Amino acid sequence: MKVIETIKEMQELSKKHKSEGKVISVVPTMGYLHKGHLRLIEKAREISDIVITTVFVNPTQFAPDEDFEAYPRNFERDSKLAESGGTDYIFHPSVNEMYPMGFSTAVVMSGITKKFEGKSRPNHFAGVTTVVAKLFHATVADKAIFGQKDFQQCLVIKKMVKDLNFPTEIIISPTVREQDGLAMSSRNKYLSEEDRKNAGILFRALEKAREEIEKGEYQRKIINAHMIKTLRTVPSIKIDYSLSADAETFEEPEVFPAGREIVLLIAAYLGKTRLIDNMLVRIPQNLGDNSGKFVEGL
Ligand code: AMP
């Protein structure tokens, strides 16, 4: 495995491999790798000849009051893990390499970037789309693997690729979880012992909503209420949002149509740590008359 620090060298290597007919996959990350990232790297290994893992903590997707400086970093450990997962190249540019003096272009998307995560973190997705566009150009990858853990990000990247005609194929890989259901995240390291014990509540809230949908619930507000009620069993939790939406359009109708795939989305703070999670659920084909039967006590 080789570490590449400049865009020029990365592009030249990728172009050479492409001229040899090799298929290249990229796994964009901010480092501090865990088993969730590793699954993406392994997936890339399965479907391509050359695997590039990028490790870059992108300053432009953090707001000034967020954790850019404090974001956990350990490049030595990342290198070992990335190599064990089958990475051929780690692309590890400096901030100056990615955003040299005079840099002034951005990829900005309207619509779905304004909702949910975008509402709580107003410039976040512009930072994400811009850096991902740059990483696609730097790596000249044929395929890119992203984690469902960041569901809205997946939708945004897919849309950017479609809207701007990137030739890159986007592959989404399922969320990897801890034993209690907590989605793995570099930020879990911030959790106190007490908060870590409580953190499984996000997954339990998603599971509760899924169960209710499978029993026949299709009214959006009731689905949301089931999640909120479950989350509130942890008194210290601060809910940023906890909602359900059409998984393709992010629309929020009063009732979800039969057979439609929806996404349950949660962002919540435990202590100062902001956790996000989501789950895809399909509304049953036969709606029956169970909707609203579980409202009592909500
Ligand atoms: P990050 O380093 O947090 O920016 O994440 C880099 C990539 O890894 C993104 O595509 C994430 O969605 C993905 N990822 C992060 N955590 C997980 C997880 N627990 N399971 C699957 N993918 C993940």
Side-chain angles (χ1 to χ4, degrees), residues 16 85-86 107 114 116 124 142 148 162 173 187 198 201 229 231 245 249 275:
K16 180 174 88 59
V107 178
K114 305 296 170 222
F116 314 146
H124 172 68
D142 302 290
Q148 193 200 314
K162 185 163 173 257
S173 189
R187 288 190 168 102
N198 287 328
I201 198 66
K229 190 181 173 202
L231 289 170
T249 62
L275 300 173

Side-chain angles (χ1 to χ4, degrees), residues 80-133:
K80 287 192 190 125
L81 272 172
E83 187 164 25
S84 76
T87 299
D88 297 299
Y89 298 102
I90 290 199
F91 180 52
H92 182 50
S94 66
V95 171
N96 195 46
E97 176 70 11
M98 291 294 273
Y99 305 110
M101 277 274 277
F103 181 92
S104 64
T105 303
V107 178
V108 182
M109 186 185 297
S110 57
I112 57 168
T113 58
K114 305 296 170 222
K115 297 191 91 169
F116 314 146
E117 207 50 17
K119 208 171 193 179
S120 298
R121 306 179 70 191
N123 297 313
H124 172 68
F125 284 119
V128 170
T129 43
T130 304
V131 80
V132 170

Side-chain angles (χ1 to χ4, degrees), residues 28-31 34 36-37 40 71 146-147 149-150 153 174-176 183-184:
T29 82
M30 296 206 298
H34 51 67
H37 296 114
L40 307 188
Y71 196 83
F146 290 87
K149 154 94 185 346
D150 298 274
Q153 172 171 283
T175 303
V176 179
M184 290 193 182

Side-chain angles (χ1 to χ4, degrees), residues 38 40-46 51 79-87:
L38 218 50
L40 307 188
I41 296 169
E42 286 161 4
K43 175 81 190 162
R45 186 70 279 164
E46 276 167 40
V51 176
S79 302
K80 287 192 190 125
L81 272 172
E83 187 164 25
S84 76
T87 299

Side-chain angles (χ1 to χ4, degrees), residues 30-285:
M30 296 206 298
Y32 211 73
L33 302 184
H34 51 67
K35 285 187 193 146
H37 296 114
L38 218 50
R39 185 71 63 81
L40 307 188
I41 296 169
E42 286 161 4
K43 175 81 190 162
R45 186 70 279 164
E46 276 167 40
I47 59 170
S48 44
D49 305 304
I50 303 290
V51 176
I52 304 171
T53 299
T54 73
V55 173
F56 179 63
V57 186
N58 175 39
T60 67
Q61 70 191 68
F62 291 79
D65 62 341
E66 290 181 352
D67 56 346
F68 172 67
E69 294 295 341
Y71 196 83
R73 295 163 169 87
N74 188 339
F75 187 66
E76 218 169 287
R77 186 171 156 274
D78 286 346
S79 302
K80 287 192 190 125
L81 272 172
E83 187 164 25
S84 76
T87 299
D88 297 299
Y89 298 102
I90 290 199
F91 180 52
H92 182 50
S94 66
V95 171
N96 195 46
E97 176 70 11
M98 291 294 273
Y99 305 110
M101 277 274 277
F103 181 92
S104 64
T105 303
V107 178
V108 182
M109 186 185 297
S110 57
I112 57 168
T113 58
K114 305 296 170 222
K115 297 191 91 169
F116 314 146
E117 207 50 17
K119 208 171 193 179
S120 298
R121 306 179 70 191
N123 297 313
H124 172 68
F125 284 119
V128 170
T129 43
T130 304
V131 80
V132 170
K134 283 178 70 72
L135 292 171
F136 285 0
H137 287 312
T139 58
V140 206
D142 302 290
K143 304 174 190 223
I145 331 291
F146 290 87
Q148 193 200 314
K149 154 94 185 346
D150 298 274
F151 184 80
Q152 192 170 0
Q153 172 171 283
C154 292
L155 232 62
V156 166
I157 300 296
K158 275 189 176 171
K159 183 156 172 41
M160 176 187 82
V161 161
K162 185 163 173 257
D163 287 354
L164 297 183
N165 312 108
F166 278 83
T168 327
E169 182 190 345
I170 305 299
I171 293 148
I172 310 300
S173 189
T175 303
V176 179
R177 301 179 180 281
E178 303 283 0
Q179 285 234 310
D180 64 347
L182 173 65
M184 290 193 182
S185 163
S186 310
R187 288 190 168 102
N188 291 351
K189 162 189 158 65
Y190 300 147
L191 292 167
S192 70
E193 208 176 308
E194 174 77 13
D195 290 337
R196 174 62 194 86
K197 272 192 207 141
N198 287 328
I201 198 66
L202 274 76
F203 182 65
R204 292 203 292 282
L206 296 169
E207 281 280 276
K208 173 68 179 163
R210 181 183 60 73
E211 283 163 23
E212 295 300 335
I213 292 164
E214 283 170 3
K215 280 195 238 162
E217 188 52 73
Y218 54 88
Q219 294 186 55
R220 182 176 54 81
K221 283 183 184 151
I222 296 179
I223 293 169
N224 296 355
H226 279 295
M227 288 195 285
I228 291 167
K229 190 181 173 202
T230 309
L231 289 170
R232 288 204 178 126
T233 60
V234 171
S236 60
I237 203 161
K238 275 206 257 75
I239 302 170
D240 183 351
Y241 57 80
S242 174
L243 46 83
S244 49
D246 186 289
E248 251 176 56
T249 62
F250 274 0
E251 276 162 20
E252 297 168 277
E254 284 305 304
V255 294
F256 290 115
R260 197 72 199 160
E261 188 169 51
I262 70 162
V263 63
L264 312 168
L265 293 160
I266 297 176
Y269 289 89
L270 278 170
K272 285 194 176 132
T273 310
R274 187 169 184 277
L275 300 173
I276 61 169
D277 205 348
N278 69 82
M279 190 179 279
L280 286 167
V281 187
R282 196 169 287 282
I283 303 290
Q285 277 298 348

